[in-house]
Amino acid sequence: MQSSSPAPRGSPNTETVVVAENHINFASHPYEYDLIVIGGGSGGLACSKQAASHGAKVAVCDYVDPTPKGTSWGLGGTCVNVGCIPKKLMHRAGLIHEAILDAKSFGFACPDDVQHSWETLVDNVQNYIGSLNFGYRNELRSANVEYWNSKARFIDAHTVELRDAQGRIEKKTAAAFVISVGGRPKYLDVEGDRECCVTSDDLFSLKEPPGRTLVVGASYVALECAGFLHAIGFSSTVMMRSIPLRGFDQQCAQLVVDYMQKDGVDIWRGCLPKKFERVGKQVKVHYTDDKGEMKQDVFDTVLLAIGRYALTKQLDLDKAGVKVESKSEKIVGVGEGIGDTEQTTCEHIFAIGDVLDGRPELTPVAIQAGQLLADRLFGNSRRKMDYLGVPTTVFTPLEASCPAGGEEEAIKTYGKDKIEVYHNLYRPLEWALPMMELQPRAARKETACFLKVIVLPSEQERIIGMHIVGDNAGEIIQGFALAVKLRACKRDLDELVGIHPTSAESFTTLSVTKSSGKKVKLSGC
Ligand code: FAD
Ligand code: NDP
C-alpha cells in the first residue's frame, strides 16, 4: 500500500528515494574480492553485474541441489529455470488452446479435439531455458564477474567455503557479501510426499504428460499451475485448506477461483492431504475433507504448491553474525525502515530477493534491490529500494493484477470509513463472438471480468489501489502502476481518454462506488 504521507500529485514519494549510505571502505582492505554474491538468481546476477560495472572485483557463486526427483538446472535461479519463465510459457500454451477453442466463432475450422504434445512443449521450454543459462554465463564473463558453480557457507564474517559438485573445497574472502540464495518449495512432511509428489521445481521439465493432476495449495504457484494445466487440457484439482491467494484482494481472488471452477477445475475446499502412496504409476491420496472425514482418490500427478522455505540453514549464518527471523528463517534486515538498506545484522553482509524477510517474493524486486544496493556500495548512490506498492500479477486463466495491496489491506491501513472503492464488471470484446455460440463457456457466461480502484477521499481521491481481473491484466496494470506511484487521483483517471475498444479503458469510466450501495452493471467495452 502506498504511504499516506502527503506529497504532490505527479511526483514520486520522495521519502522513499534517499537513504543513509552503506559505509564500507573499499579503497583498502585485505580481502581477495570487494564483493562475493552468494546465489546467481534474479537478484544475485543483477547485483554482481552492477557492482562490477562500478569497477569492483566481484564473484558470484550459484549451486542447485537436485530435487528428490533428481531435477536440477543451470545458472539463473528460480525465475528462469523453475519459475516465472517456464510458468509464463505454459500459461501461454493454455491461452493458445483457449484461443483455438474460440477460433470457430471467428471463422476458423479448428477441430474440437485439437491434439497437444506435452513433450514438445517441455522440450521447447527447456531448450529456451538452456539458451538463457548459456547467455547468463556469457554476460557474467563480459561483465568481469567471476562465476563459481559451487555451494557457499560462511566460515567467518569475511570468509566463505565453496564446495563444487565433485566435492572440491576452497575458501574465498571478501570485504562485503550479498546473500541472494532465494528459496525452494516446501514439502508437507506427511508419509509418502517426497516419493510420490512433485513441486514446481519438477513440473516444467516432467518427461511425461502430467495427466489427472492434484495441486495442493491455493496461492500463486498452485492456482497458476492448476490454471495452465487445465487450460492446456489436463484434468486439474485444487486442494485448498483455507482461502485462495492469502494477502491478495479477496474479492479478486474469489473471482479468479470462481472462473477456474466454472471452467472445469475441481476446487476442493477445506481439505488436507494426510498420506500419499504409489499405485502403479499413479498416486493414491489420503485426505480429510471439509467435514474432517478421511477420503481417498487417485491421481496421475500430485503437485505440492504449499509455499517455499528460505535457503538459509545451509549458510552457517551464525558464523557471520547474520540473524534470521525465527519463523520464516529469512534474513532480518536492519536500518531505518526494516530492511530498507538490505543490510543484515552483520554490517558488511547484505541480503536481497526472496531471502530477505518481509519483502515481496518477485523477480523485479530482487533485481532492482540488487542493482540499487550495488550502486550504493560502489557507485556513491543514495537511492534505496521502494518496497511499497510493488505491482504483481497472478497468471491464472483469468489474470489478476494490481499495484499495491487489496481492499482488506487498505481498510487495515486507513480504516473502512477512510477509503472509497470504485468498481465495475465487464466482458471484453474478445469474448463477444464466442459468447454468441449456442453453448458458450460456462465460466464466461456465469462470471465476468472485474476492476476496482481504491481511493482516499481525504486526499482528493488519491488512488491507493487498482485491481483488474481479466485477460492480459498484467500488461494493463504495468502502466497504471506508474500512475499510482506518481500519486494520481481518481480525477486523473476520469480525465484520461480511453483507448477504444480495450478492456483497460474501463478504468477511465468508473462511476459506481461501493459506499453508494448501487449494483454494478455488467458492461462491454
Ligand atoms: P533465486 O532466483 O531463487 O536464486 C537463488 C539462487 O541461489 C538459486 O540458483 C539457488 O540454487 C542458489 N543458492 C542457494 N543457496 C546457495 C548456496 N549456499 N550457495 C550457492 N548458491 C546457492 N516472480 C515474478 O516476479 N513473476 C512471476 O511470474 C513469478 N512466477 C513464479 C513462478 C514460480 C513457479 C515460482 C516458484 C516463483 C515465481 N516468481 C515470480 C518468484 C521469482 O521466481 C522469485 O521471486 C525470484 O526468482 C527470486 O530471486 P532471488 O534472486 O531472490 O532468488
Ligand atoms: P505461498 O506461501 O504464497 O502460499 C502457500 C499456499 O499453500 C497457501 O495457499 C497456503 O494456505 C497453502 N499451504 C501452506 N501449507 C499448507 C499445508 N500444510 N497444507 C495445505 N496447504 C498449505 O506460496 P507460493 O509458493 O504459491 O508463492 C510463493 C511466492 O512466490 C508468492 O508469494 C509470490 O510472491 C511468488 N510467486 C509469484 C508469482 C507471480 O508473480 N505471478 C507466481 C508464483 C510465485 P494458507 O493460505 O491456508 O496458509
Side-chain angles (χ1 to χ4, degrees), residues 7 42 66 103 129 142 165 192 259 309 313 368 451:
S42 309
I129 291 172
S142 324
Y259 182 90
Y309 67 94
K313 265 201 181 124
Q368 194 161 334
L451 36 85

Side-chain angles (χ1 to χ4, degrees), residues 191-236:
E191 193 180 330
D193 65 346
R194 281 176 172 74
E195 301 85 84
C196 301
C197 304
V198 298
T199 68
S200 54
D201 280 358
D202 305 293
L203 180 69
F204 306 109
S205 56
L206 277 189
K207 292 269 173 286
E208 290 186 18
R212 182 173 186 237
T213 303
L214 172 70
V215 179
V216 184
S219 198
Y220 277 71
V221 175
L223 295 182
E224 288 184 343
C225 293
F228 72 65
L229 288 175
H230 170 76
I232 290 171
F234 300 103
S235 154
S236 78

Side-chain angles (χ1 to χ4, degrees), residues 87 188 216-222 224 239 241-243 245-246 271-273 305-308 360-362 392-395:
K87 180 280 305 290
L188 277 163
V216 184
S219 198
Y220 277 71
V221 175
E224 288 184 343
M239 190 181 272
R241 72 173 176 186
S242 61
I243 56 167
L245 292 168
R246 185 178 296 284
C271 297
L272 282 173
I306 55 161
R308 300 170 64 78
E361 294 181 12
L362 297 168
T392 177
T393 299
V394 191
F395 292 99

Side-chain angles (χ1 to χ4, degrees), residues 37 39-48 178 180 352-353 363 366-367 370-371:
V37 176
S42 309
L45 289 180
C47 182
S48 58
V178 169
S180 49
I352 55 170
T363 278
I367 292 175
Q371 287 172 336

Side-chain angles (χ1 to χ4, degrees), residues 18-44:
V18 180
V19 70
E21 285 160 283
N22 296 121
H23 298 288
I24 294 173
N25 183 4
F26 289 106
S28 68
H29 62 72
Y31 307 106
E32 294 163 272
Y33 294 85
D34 292 323
L35 176 69
I36 291 178
V37 176
I38 306 174
S42 309

Side-chain angles (χ1 to χ4, degrees), residues 402-422:
C402 62
E407 197 175 327
E408 294 81 7
E409 200 183 321
I411 291 171
K412 209 164 120 195
T413 310
Y414 300 100
K416 195 172 169 49
D417 54 345
K418 297 281 190 302
I419 63 160
E420 182 57 279
V421 178
Y422 289 85

Side-chain angles (χ1 to χ4, degrees), residues 316-371:
D316 285 348
L317 290 172
D318 49 330
K319 297 206 172 124
V322 175
K323 287 214 170 79
V324 296
E325 205 276 325
S326 56
K327 198 156 168 250
S328 69
E329 292 185 350
K330 288 187 175 192
I331 294 174
V332 178
V334 296
E336 296 158 3
I338 301 297
D340 273 346
T341 63
E342 292 88 26
Q343 195 166 29
T344 70
T345 44
C346 177
E347 69 168 359
H348 62 271
I349 301 182
F350 301 84
I352 55 170
D354 285 7
V355 79
L356 185 58
D357 193 46
R359 299 306 184 192
E361 294 181 12
L362 297 168
T363 278
V365 172
I367 292 175
Q368 194 161 334
Q371 287 172 336

